[in-house]
Each structure stands twice: as C-alpha cells, then as structure tokens.
C-alpha cells in the first residue's frame, strides 16, 4: 500500500488507516485478528484507536494481537485521550491529570512503552495551555512520538497549532482528525485549510458516511447493520434523510459505470481528496474490509470526482482543475 507523509512531519503512514471503534464490542476477537492480518498483509500501517473505545477493551485487544503477530515495528499505533463514556454519559476532560492518566492506561493496555501518534480526542473546558503542556510532557518523557488533535473545529485547530508554534521546543501538532465524507464535507470550510496552513496531516473518520454510502440502506435497515443496533442507531440516522439518498444514488450510478462497488467509489473520493492523508476505515468484519483494500490501485476519473463534488454540496475549491481546463 502506498505510504503518505503526515503533513510536513517525518511520519509516514499507509494511505488507508484501520479504525477500531467497534473492536471488543461489535467486532469479535476472531474478526479483529482477521482484520489486522488482512490490513497488515496489504501493507497497511496506521491503526487508530482510543482509550474510550470499549472502555479500553479495544486497546487491550490491539495490544494482544500486535504482540502475538509480532508486528509492533510495522504499525503506527495511534490512540486518543480526554474523552470517556461513564454511565452512558459522554465526558470530556482534557486536564493534564486526565490526559496523562489516559495515556498511562493506553500504554498498559496496548503493551507498549510508547504510542506513535497521541491525539487529544476532543476540545475540552480545561485551559488549552494545560492540555498542550500534557502533550509536551508526554513527548519529552518518551511516551509519545507525535501529537495530534481530533474533532477540533477550524478555529480550535488553528489555535492549538499556533500555540505550539509560538515558542521553540513545544511539540508540533502533526495531524487533525474529523469526520469527512460525501455526506459530511464541513471540514473543507475551515479544518482542511487550517491543516494545510500549519503543515498538518488529515485523517477523515467515517469516510463512508457512517456506512450509508455503501448503499446498504437504500431499501431499508438491514439486520446486523449499525443502524439496527441500539447503541449505534443514533449515529447513522442523521444520514438516512432525503438529501443523503440523492448522494447515495449518485455514488451507486458512478460505481455501476466504473465497475466498482459504491463503497469503493465513496472511499476513493475521500482518499484522494485534496489534503487527505489517510481515511480511517471502521470495518467491523473482514468482508467489509476486503473491497476497500482491493481498491488500492484504483482512482476516480477527475470528471467523476468533480461530479460527486457537485451533487454532494458543490465544487471543492482545493481540487485541481482537470488537465486542459485551466483558464477555460
């Protein structure tokens, strides 16, 4: 699999990442092993998780599998801190105490002395200086190699990056991670421009529109899908409205014309969009991951990518014009 630099840093990752939000919950241990083996064999390196996923169980599973497979040096382990779900309530705590406590727990569960990329999972109420001081401490202590942010809006992204650049010796913000797909293009307004301005890599989560862009919901809610579960129905429902249906149908038509799957068309649009480093694939089963990996050598024709831009919200101002159309 092709490797891409993460912004202007020296870190390089595969241009697809493996997301693990469902591991140790909807994804069984056996399925997780198969997913990691398939991903690794395809040349994938970026494995993204979080202390909050499965209340730490996803990290435990990753740590065990990576050790059993002997692939720690082959993978870029990325995790997050500062966000937990306690008694069904989402709690964001980005204080120094909470972040470093989360990191110590992540290292223990992952069975490693360091993580390659440590991300602040969400913007919190703690002073930004305190949050980023915890990041600096973790890097200086050797527990973290690179630092990133997740789910920050544009001004928050710029503020964090500016703060770290203000004085020599502070840890640069290497990457940003937010939702981005044909059904969620808000990142193009401020987050992606901020990432470009500060030399940051960009990791889109839910590049398949929370599963809706696969086309599986066109005739209803399939049994076994995320929308059919009590704990993920709320996550999918916002994309099951009329506007989304039009985008899904456009993806399906493009897939038919290109002899690809809708999943592959939606993924390729994100993977090769301007500013994107690596979409994070939240495949729950090997059968969902296989077609994504099979599209490694594919690319969307410029006119198809542009047409999908138009139907999903309008032209992407950062997308280069097709050859022969400049100045037209």
């Amino acid at each position: 699999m092709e490797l891409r630099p993460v912004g202007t840093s020296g870190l390089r990752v595969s241009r697809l990442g493996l997301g693990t939000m469902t591991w140790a919950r909807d994804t069984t241990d056996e399925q997780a092993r198969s997913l990691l083996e398939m991903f690794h064999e395809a040349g994938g390196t970026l494995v993204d998780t979080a202390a909050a996923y499965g209340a730490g169980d996803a990290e435990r599973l990753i740590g065990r599998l990576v050790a059993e497979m002997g692939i720690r040096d082959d993978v870029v382990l990325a995790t997050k801190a500062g966000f937990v779900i306690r008694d069904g309530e989402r709690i964001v705590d980005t204080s120094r105490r909470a972040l470093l406590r989360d990191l110590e727990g992540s290292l223990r569960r992952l069975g490693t002395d360091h993580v390659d990329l440590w991300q602040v999972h969400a913007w919190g109420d703690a002073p930004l200086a305190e949050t980023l001081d915890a990041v600096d401490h973790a890097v200086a202590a050797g527990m973290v190699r690179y630092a990133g942010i997740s789910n920050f809006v544009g001004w928050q992204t710029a503020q964090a990056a500016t703060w770290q650049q203000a004085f020599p010796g502070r840890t640069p913000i290497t990457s940003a991670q937010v939702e981005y797909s044909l059904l969620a293009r808000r990142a193009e307004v401020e987050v992606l421009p901020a990432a470009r301005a500060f030399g940051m890599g960009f990791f889109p989560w839910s590049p398949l529109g929370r599963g809706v862009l696969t086309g599986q919901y066109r005739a209803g809610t399939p049994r076994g899908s995320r929308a059919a579960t009590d704990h993920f129905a709320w996550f999918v429902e916002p994309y099951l409205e009329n506007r989304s249906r039009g985008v899904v149908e456009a993806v399906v038509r493009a897939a038919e014309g290109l002899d690809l799957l809708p999943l592959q068309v939606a993924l390729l649009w994100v993977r090769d969009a301007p500013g994107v480093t690596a979409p994070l694939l939240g495949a729950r089963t090997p059968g969902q991951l296989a077609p994504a990996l099979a599209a490694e050598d594919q690319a969307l024709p410029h006119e198809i990518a542009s047409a999908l831009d138009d139907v999903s919200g309008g032209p992407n101002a950062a997308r280069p014009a097709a050859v022969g159309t400049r100045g037209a």
Side-chain angles (χ1 to χ4, degrees), residues 53 59 70 86 94 98-99 123 144 221 228 235 301 315 321:
Y53 294 171
E59 289 181 327
R86 192 173 296 137
T94 55
L99 289 174
W123 181 270
V144 169
T221 301
F235 184 66

Side-chain angles (χ1 to χ4, degrees), residues 49 54-65 106 108-110:
T49 189
D57 286 342
E59 289 181 327
R60 290 188 187 92
L61 180 53
I62 292 168
R64 177 166 60 80
L65 293 176
S106 291
R108 183 174 61 253
R109 291 185 292 268
L110 289 167

Side-chain angles (χ1 to χ4, degrees), residues 226-258:
R226 284 185 177 181
T229 65
D230 292 336
H231 53 279
F232 270 133
W234 65 270
F235 184 66
V236 180
E237 284 173 359
Y239 293 161
L240 297 179
E241 36 75 36
N242 287 334
R243 175 193 166 275
S244 296
R245 291 193 188 99
V247 178
V248 171
E249 292 306 315
V251 170
V252 170
R253 288 196 299 273
E256 291 171 348
L258 296 170

Side-chain angles (χ1 to χ4, degrees), residues 142-157:
M143 296 184 287
V144 169
R145 297 294 187 261
Y146 294 89
I149 51 178
S150 178
N151 299 314
F152 281 35
V153 299
W155 69 265
Q156 295 165 348
T157 300

Side-chain angles (χ1 to χ4, degrees), residues 266-304:
L267 177 61
L268 291 171
W269 181 90
V270 176
R271 189 197 68 186
D272 297 331
V276 169
T277 305
L280 302 173
L281 295 166
R284 289 179 293 127
T285 67
Q288 294 174 346
L289 180 61
L293 297 178
E296 167 65 17
D297 296 328
Q298 300 291 329
L300 295 183
H302 187 279
E303 59 270 26
I304 297 297

